[in-house]
Amino acid sequence: MSQQGYVAAPPYSQAQPGMGGYQGGFGTGPAQPLYGYYGGPPQAFTAPPTGMMKLPVSSAAGMPPPPESSQYNPNVHQNGAHHQRYPAPPAVSASYGQPLQSQYNSMASSAPPPTQQLTNQMSAMNFGNYASGPMQSPPPVSSVAQQPFQTPPPSAMGQPQMPPGAQSPHMSPQMSPPQLQPGNMQMAGQPMTGPPMSGPLMSGQPMTVPPMTGMGRPFPGPPACQPGYPQQAGQFGGNMAGPQPGMPGGQFGGNMAGPQPGMPGAFPGAPGGLAGPPQKKLDPDSIPSITQVIEDDQGKQGGKVYKTNLRGQVPPLVTTDFTIEDQGNASPRFIRCTTYSLPCTADLAKQCQVPLASIIKPFASLQKNETPLYVVNHGETGPIRCNRCKAYMCPYMQFIDGGRRYQCGFCNCVNEVPVFYFQHLDHMGQRMDIYERPELSLGSYEFVATMDYCKNNKPPNPPAYIFMIDVSYNNIKSGLVKLICDELKNLLENLPSEEGMESSAIKVGFVTYNKVLHFYNVKSALAQPQMMVVSDTAEMFVPLLDGFLVNYQDSRAVIYNLLDQIPDMFADTNESETVFVPVIQAGVEAFKAAECSGKLFIFHSSMPSAEAPGKLKNRDDKKLVNTEKEKTLFQPQKGVYEQLSKDCVAQGCCVDLFLFPSQYMDIATMADVPSHTGGSVYKYNNFQVETDGEHFLRDLRKDVQKSIGFDAIMRVRTSTGFRATEFFGAIHMNNTTDVEMAAVDCDKAITVEFKHDDALSEETGALMQCALLYTTINGQRRLRIHNLSLNCSLQLSELFKSCETDSLVNFFSKSACRAILNQPLKNVREILVNQTAHMLACYRKNCASPSAASQLILPDAMKVFPVYINSLMKTAPLVGSTELSTDDRAHQRLAIMGMGVEDTQLLLYPRLTPLHNMDVSSEALPAPVRCSEERLSDSGMFLLENGHSMFLWLGQASPPDLIQNIFNLPSLAHLQGNMCALPELDNPLSIKVRSIISGLIEKRANSMKLQIVRQKDKPEMLFRQFLVEDKGLHGGASYMDFLCYVHREIRQLLT
């Protein structure tokens, strides 16, 4: 099929000089190697050399496009042996060398394109079926049927041919709507009669939607060619795209969309001022909806028991509420995969571009009704392992020779069974004791480790927690120090302990600091605590060994005394300078002396400016945003910080940082140690005890009490044919295989990418085993084992059917967040879009049944993938806006690196729940609605949360009785701006709303501060940036526009 008018300029590039008015994408073309699989050598997408005249594609009806167009040729993909996923751009390349004339759609044609030819830009962009596999359907009907306003059909395919000049970013009103056919049906759209269907789509129900112009266009701008509005290049009402002929280069009219030179933003967004009469929009209900996908999965699998006995079965979504029964594969709470059916060969993997990865959360919390992990103790001999590959005994070992030997499922080596472990086989060849031994019948279990697995071959001591409080002027004045000291009295009563133990084995210690460090001796024999000061911060040491780390129960009276005294001791301080690195060094030294691992809780409020190692200078520079040097804002300062991370990991010292900044702090550097030691960073801007105190204390309580393992080292083993190559997380790596973490808690996840090193077999499938060696909070050395078996297939349709969108999104989020450390943001965003288009084009080409090119066909398992990728590009780290604080961007980047699948899912698609019309007597939560302004109602009350922020939004027409029941106020006008908790009122609505809010705060890894916003108030802008289906506040396309853009990219790849 000839795709008329599609250009072979690299996707996303600007119009090349000498090539009529081709529509450039957003921004200059990426440097050459950016195509193809993250970081593989350049693929077969060649940009035409600058200045080369392109033949108009429509030169002869039905001729294929000229050879250098993007031939989507799966076989030309070179082998991606590149280690680095996003390669650094080469020094000079065609697309970089060009002047940065317009950073998006330069419409270079000065002649106004005739309406006629516009009709076909994305002619009837049909959303086709989200098919679950290969589909049969009637042959494509010629496009004439799809155009209610007919244009004379030319020869060839019955699609209007158009010269390149017609590639305008604006669609004419003559364009028929995108048609979306759910299920496995396809139809050519007839002109719509009757009202459009609204509500969720039913499978197999054909529908068409009214002609659209406003929404479905890939680019902003009013509907083209309204009667009485002559369309001239550069005269689009209030929304001009790029420098127009006859206009000075950088002058943009009205509403600016997309990255202007020196302007934030990734994509152009929705229309600016629409000229002319309002048009009917494409019905947003007709494009794939995340809330619908979540609701469907919950309906299908919610409340059921999921058994893990089958190889390669795709689990329910992370958002679904279900119970897991381990029957030989690890629970999806511990391991999720981007696809549960791996391609058999590296070539297939290359062709489909779907990253092969697992997201492993070794300490994930289980539900109350799920069995905790069994602990297996083989005594002196320790765990049984394969002699060759060192994999641990698991359900994938095959016993042979009457039970005397076993063949390893990972490397096929045949091993002798130790005498004490021998057991006869039954008539099926299985051991008689298979169900009595967790390691033979379960996917996850623990082994007690022997001395060989301990440092210096001696058992470890229980870990310790050290609380280190910055007592500089700001923290004393704000009341923070007193708040922390008061809370610690309660918190220390609830330190985590092993099941069955009466009290916690964790030791505690206390340090306060400003320019100098104060250590406290709280030995139980003392009547009063003793303070020792270390003022030489260049050579850090701990001035006392005995009495610094103590058992809380023994020293409770002395510790209480100390916590009462600290706020008074420093009440009159004027010291505003602080040190930072020496504080962490002191913690490492204390753990060294006590020969234990542990965690530092550091409460800090300003950039370390005192003369000491690790002193920082302000390097925040907004002028670097959207330049090649923007990446430096995310890079930590090297030197002492880098060494400090290594020292912490070596000692098993995890750092948790609670920050209370009032200005720039260089979080990229200060949070470097937590982000390599399995720690967390919490941040409270402009902290005030009244409004932020409770939020901070909830975080602190969760952090101290969460289940955790220390001094951990993890290795992922795989069966032959593929291996783990890349690791993302709050981790440190000394070599290419061992993932080291000073600590790992129930919320931290490590994302592991796999590559083929040989062919896999459909018969045997693929196996992986994650082994984590760690110290428990009791001081016992253990091995935690998680096993998972996947299918392998030669059919791409199997791979797409077994994909898991939420896991894919986690992988892309982390790889993009790592990439921005060494590449311009623009390149990273381009790669995300390219790879999205590539995966979907591969599905379209190899798995979907033939249909008109104008239909967007998405795999069922990935139909909402574009929503998440568009949302990812609008997150603070990736958006490139000078309005966002550098520290906030760096903080979010580091947070994403440690996230599990459910965290990235929620972050990128917040829950928006209507609370005004719910049934207060029902136990069930109200169903969330789509994250878009269109779903809000003036008289409604909506709760939005994404795991980090929480808003209660009130429409300006909220009925007085609603306001009375929730706030005990007569009307919305009486509401005070700084309220951060709802009053406790005794009426059903208030009780229900408060229980929903506290339930969510309890459930999420982080506490969230409730922000109450009224419609049309200033703070509402903050709330709106979470409506991810709409156009981004700081740049970024709406979901609809992005989908149109991706569809165009796919068509370009397929021509």
Side-chain angles (χ1 to χ4, degrees):
M1 300 217 229
S2 76
Q3 271 310 322
Q4 303 77 11
Y6 274 105
V7 194
Y12 256 40
S13 76
Q14 59 194 55
Q16 312 276 348
M19 289 169 44
Y22 287 112
Q23 177 137 319
F26 314 146
T28 49
Q32 256 253 301
L34 295 181
Y35 281 108
Y37 192 56
Y38 274 10
Q43 312 266 329
F45 296 93
T46 47
T50 324
M52 175 169 173
M53 206 39 194
K54 211 60 197 297
L55 296 170
V57 176
S58 49
S59 48
M63 256 182 65
E68 71 272 39
S69 86
S70 356
Q71 295 292 358
Y72 184 68
N73 179 351
N75 311 325
V76 201
H77 294 236
Q78 268 109 60
N79 201 349
H82 249 273
H83 194 58
Q84 203 186 346
R85 163 153 297 95
Y86 294 76
V92 186
S93 86
S95 41
Y96 264 76
Q98 288 165 19
L100 213 71
Q101 28 177 353
S102 130
Q103 277 204 310
Y104 67 101
N105 9 340
S106 25
M107 264 196 43
S109 74
S110 40
T115 317
Q116 195 73 91
Q117 294 156 339
L118 276 167
T119 40
N120 198 33
Q121 157 72 351
M122 307 188 67
S123 119
M125 176 183 125
N126 280 345
F127 291 88
N129 354 24
Y130 326 134
S132 21
M135 304 161 307
Q136 270 57 49
S137 73
V141 188
S142 89
S143 307
V144 187
Q146 294 173 343
Q147 299 194 343
F149 306 93
Q150 289 208 348
T151 51
S155 51
M157 282 290 296
Q159 294 205 352
Q161 303 283 354
M162 50 194 263
Q167 282 291 90
S168 147
H170 307 286
M171 291 160 99
S172 85
Q174 264 98 318
M175 205 160 138
S176 87
Q179 269 126 28
L180 208 136
Q181 285 113 21
N184 280 1
M185 285 196 56
Q186 271 182 297
M187 269 186 70
Q190 297 92 9
M192 176 78 183
T193 47
M197 238 184 78
S198 61
L201 289 175
M202 256 60 114
S203 183
Q205 201 170 317
M207 69 171 272
T208 50
V209 270
M212 54 129 191
T213 50
M215 279 307 280
R217 297 189 314 283
F219 293 97
C225 307
Q226 301 276 359
Y229 290 83
Q231 178 179 352
Q232 287 158 20
Q235 200 177 317
F236 300 127
N239 201 335
M240 293 168 36
Q244 310 300 338
M247 284 200 54
Q251 199 173 323
F252 293 81
N255 193 353
M256 292 180 4
Q260 316 296 346
M263 277 284 300
F267 281 86
L274 289 184
Q279 297 288 325
K280 280 192 182 145
K281 288 184 173 178
L282 165 63
D283 176 13
D285 281 329
S286 64
I287 57 177
S289 149
I290 289 182
T291 46
Q292 191 60 49
V293 168
I294 290 175
E295 200 177 311
D296 292 349
D297 197 70
Q298 177 65 37
K300 199 165 72 184
Q301 317 203 57
K304 298 195 177 151
V305 174
Y306 171 79
K307 297 183 176 173
T308 68
N309 54 343
L310 296 176
R311 182 177 87 191
Q313 67 174 334
V314 183
L317 298 179
V318 279
T319 43
T320 298
D321 192 16
F322 62 107
T323 302
I324 297 158
E325 194 177 302
D326 185 341
Q327 292 193 354
N329 283 295
S331 153
R333 301 200 201 288
F334 295 124
I335 307 185
R336 280 186 177 264
C337 299
T338 53
T339 175
Y340 287 80
S341 182
L342 300 182
C344 282
T345 64
D347 286 348
L348 271 179
K350 194 95 197 116
Q351 186 181 338
C352 71
Q353 300 266 319
V354 174
L356 311 175
S358 293
I359 296 89
I360 303 173
K361 212 182 207 185
F363 269 82
S365 310
L366 297 174
Q367 288 189 352
K368 290 189 174 62
N369 54 354
E370 292 173 355
T371 317
L373 299 196
Y374 288 97
V375 180
V376 179
N377 191 344
H378 287 322
E380 297 287 293
T381 47
I384 295 168
R385 307 176 67 176
C386 168
N387 290 329
R388 186 197 288 162
C389 70
K390 297 286 182 260
Y392 293 86
M393 180 52 68
C394 69
Y396 315 139
M397 303 298 188
Q398 184 65 41
F399 288 85
I400 52 176
D401 202 5
R404 284 187 288 278
R405 299 194 299 165
Y406 68 92
Q407 184 172 20
C408 171
F410 295 90
C411 70
N412 298 324
C413 171
V414 175
N415 300 271
E416 296 292 323
V417 172
V419 178
F420 84 93
Y421 202 68
F422 173 78
Q423 177 59 270
H424 293 287
L425 306 185
D426 64 12
H427 64 289
M428 303 283 291
Q430 287 195 330
R431 283 174 57 122
M432 308 288 268
D433 63 354
I434 180 168
Y435 294 111
E436 291 151 36
R437 291 196 177 272
E439 73 275 23
L440 298 180
S441 55
L442 298 178
S444 302
Y445 42 87
E446 294 199 317
F447 287 118
V448 174
T450 55
M451 287 308 138
D452 304 345
Y453 293 90
C454 301
K455 272 189 186 154
N456 312 325
N457 286 358
K458 54 190 231 192
N461 290 313
Y465 283 0
I466 305 178
F467 297 91
M468 311 179 107
I469 306 169
D470 162 2
V471 289
S472 61
Y473 177 72
N474 279 349
N475 285 358
I476 295 289
K477 192 183 67 172
S478 70
L480 175 67
V481 173
K482 180 161 173 36
L483 186 72
I484 294 169
C485 292
D486 290 347
E487 178 62 30
L488 282 177
K489 295 175 190 170
N490 307 325
L491 252 185
L492 295 170
E493 297 287 351
N494 299 313
L495 289 172
S497 61
E498 283 286 303
E499 302 217 351
M501 298 286 292
E502 284 194 8
S503 67
S504 174
I506 296 173
K507 298 262 176 79
V508 293
F510 303 89
V511 172
T512 55
Y513 65 95
N514 38 44
K515 264 202 317 204
V516 297
L517 278 78
H518 323 107
F519 293 82
Y520 297 92
N521 183 345
V522 284
K523 201 158 58 178
S524 54
L526 296 171
Q528 284 287 332
Q530 295 171 345
M531 171 162 127
M532 298 187 185
V533 180
V534 176
S535 52
D536 178 9
T537 49
E539 292 293 322
M540 204 56 228
F541 68 100
V542 177
L544 74 161
L545 290 182
D546 188 28
F548 177 59
L549 292 176
V550 298
N551 180 310
Y552 170 70
Q553 298 299 338
D554 301 346
S555 300
R556 185 193 273 139
V558 193
I559 291 173
Y560 257 58
N561 228 327
L562 171 67
L563 294 172
D564 284 337
Q565 289 174 28
I566 288 176
D568 302 337
M569 257 191 294
F570 299 99
D572 303 327
T573 186
N574 288 322
E575 187 53 76
S576 58
E577 288 196 319
T578 54
V579 295
F580 180 65
V581 166
V583 180
I584 299 178
Q585 284 169 336
V588 175
E589 291 302 318
F591 291 152
K592 249 185 207 151
E595 297 188 347
C596 68
S597 51
K599 186 185 258 200
L600 310 180
F601 295 83
I602 302 179
F603 306 91
H604 191 92
S605 70
S606 59
M607 195 189 306
S609 55
E611 282 307 327
K615 173 183 176 180
L616 296 175
K617 294 191 185 65
N618 187 338
R619 59 184 186 128
D620 188 18
D621 185 357
K622 288 281 170 34
K623 290 199 287 295
L624 299 181
V625 174
N626 283 320
T627 68
E628 290 280 319
K629 290 200 178 140
E630 182 168 10
K631 57 189 176 212
T632 58
L633 296 174
F634 296 111
Q635 294 165 353
Q637 298 190 26
K638 292 273 188 277
V640 55
Y641 284 91
E642 210 170 4
Q643 187 53 47
L644 191 55
S645 292
K646 290 178 183 160
D647 296 346
C648 285
V649 172
Q651 188 51 49
C653 166
C654 168
V655 179
D656 276 356
L657 204 45
F658 292 82
L659 297 174
F660 305 88
S662 51
Q663 58 206 47
Y664 175 74
M665 255 180 130
D666 195 355
I667 284 183
T669 303
M670 292 188 68
D672 190 47
V673 176
S675 70
H676 283 94
T677 58
S680 307
V681 181
Y682 301 89
K683 180 159 162 288
Y684 312 90
N685 295 343
N686 303 314
F687 178 84
Q688 291 177 313
V689 170
E690 303 71 48
T691 52
D692 305 290
E694 198 43 51
H695 173 209
F696 153 63
L697 293 179
R698 281 194 306 254
D699 272 334
L700 178 58
R701 286 174 206 135
K702 279 185 185 219
D703 198 44
V704 170
Q705 292 163 10
K706 60 171 74 159
S707 59
I708 187 168
F710 289 93
D711 202 7
I713 186 160
M714 181 178 101
R715 186 172 277 199
V716 179
R717 293 182 172 83
T718 52
S719 53
T720 49
F722 75 121
R723 64 195 165 85
T725 55
E726 284 281 346
F727 300 86
F728 305 87
I731 55 173
H732 174 75
M733 297 199 69
N734 265 331
N735 54 34
T736 55
T737 54
D738 297 332
V739 177
E740 297 183 56
M741 293 165 284
V744 54
D745 64 47
C746 55
D747 298 318
K748 295 288 180 300
I750 298 96
T751 299
V752 184
E753 187 185 8
F754 301 100
K755 286 275 199 304
H756 285 77
D757 46 18
D758 204 349
L760 298 169
S761 115
E762 288 188 312
E763 229 160 297
T764 52
L767 310 175
M768 68 176 77
Q769 182 179 77
C770 158
L772 180 86
L773 174 65
Y774 74 99
T775 302
T776 66
I777 42 185
N778 261 14
Q780 188 183 35
R781 205 71 178 140
R782 282 199 199 156
L783 282 148
R784 181 171 280 222
I785 312 291
H786 297 299
N787 302 292
L788 188 63
S789 59
L790 303 175
N791 287 332
C792 297
S793 176
L794 286 162
Q795 305 301 319
L796 284 175
S797 56
E798 280 303 308
L799 174 134
F800 281 106
K801 209 186 283 185
S802 313
C803 270
E804 200 194 53
T805 290
D806 298 331
S807 299
L808 277 170
V809 169
N810 177 282
F811 173 84
F812 280 112
S813 305
K814 291 188 183 186
S815 46
C817 280
R818 177 181 292 177
I820 60 180
L821 288 177
N822 41 35
Q823 282 207 47
L825 279 183
K826 191 162 67 54
N827 294 6
V828 177
R829 288 193 298 256
E830 271 156 16
I831 292 168
L832 286 170
V833 178
N834 285 332
Q835 200 161 350
T836 301
H838 255 289
M839 294 194 293
L840 298 175
C842 174
Y843 174 78
R844 170 73 190 253
K845 182 174 181 202
N846 299 290
C847 311
S849 53
S851 59
S854 54
Q855 281 192 313
L856 174 57
I857 297 183
L858 302 167
D860 197 51
M862 287 174 69
K863 63 187 175 197
V864 290
F865 183 68
V867 196
Y868 286 117
I869 289 294
N870 187 37
S871 177
L872 172 60
M873 291 195 293
K874 291 191 276 193
T875 53
L878 285 172
V879 81
S881 162
T882 48
E883 291 168 41
L884 296 167
S885 97
T886 304
D887 273 348
D888 285 351
R889 297 176 70 200
H891 180 227
Q892 192 174 25
R893 187 190 84 76
L894 291 166
I896 288 173
M897 290 307 284
M899 283 185 182
V901 179
E902 54 280 43
D903 309 322
T904 45
Q905 190 280 327
L906 188 60
L907 177 74
L908 297 178
Y909 201 85
R911 294 267 187 300
L912 179 62
T913 312
L915 299 181
H916 50 280
N917 51 6
M918 62 181 172
D919 176 3
V920 288
S921 58
S922 149
E923 284 292 295
L925 286 174
V929 294
R930 295 175 75 151
C931 252
S932 165
E933 192 184 342
E934 294 185 353
R935 308 288 153 167
L936 302 173
S937 60
D938 286 0
S939 59
M941 172 169 71
F942 291 79
L943 184 70
L944 181 142
E945 57 104 16
N946 72 347
H948 296 267
S949 306
M950 180 182 261
F951 294 89
L952 187 65
W953 181 92
L954 299 156
Q956 52 191 6
S958 300
D961 56 335
L962 179 81
I963 302 300
Q964 185 69 49
N965 281 335
I966 296 291
F967 298 103
N968 201 16
L969 295 169
S971 77
L972 201 51
H974 292 77
L975 191 63
Q976 293 299 312
N978 54 4
M979 188 185 282
C980 57
L982 298 179
E984 296 191 14
L985 304 176
D986 191 13
N987 65 66
L989 184 64
S990 172
I991 292 167
K992 175 83 175 167
V993 168
R994 282 182 291 114
S995 92
I996 288 175
I997 290 172
S998 58
L1000 287 171
I1001 289 174
E1002 193 50 45
K1003 190 172 160 190
R1004 306 295 178 223
N1006 291 348
S1007 151
M1008 294 174 283
K1009 174 183 168 183
L1010 179 66
Q1011 300 174 63
I1012 294 166
V1013 293
R1014 286 181 293 203
Q1015 186 178 8
K1016 303 262 168 48
D1017 269 11
K1018 211 170 180 182
E1020 196 201 15
M1021 288 306 279
L1022 201 58
F1023 162 82
R1024 282 182 187 270
Q1025 68 192 23
F1026 295 99
L1027 299 175
V1028 297
E1029 289 199 15
D1030 299 341
K1031 189 181 163 193
L1033 282 188
H1034 303 292
S1038 68
Y1039 168 31
M1040 184 78 81
D1041 287 344
F1042 181 69
L1043 202 55
C1044 295
Y1045 184 75
V1046 168
H1047 181 221
R1048 238 191 46 204
E1049 292 288 296
I1050 293 170
R1051 289 178 66 176
Q1052 210 163 19
L1053 289 173
L1054 293 174
T1055 40

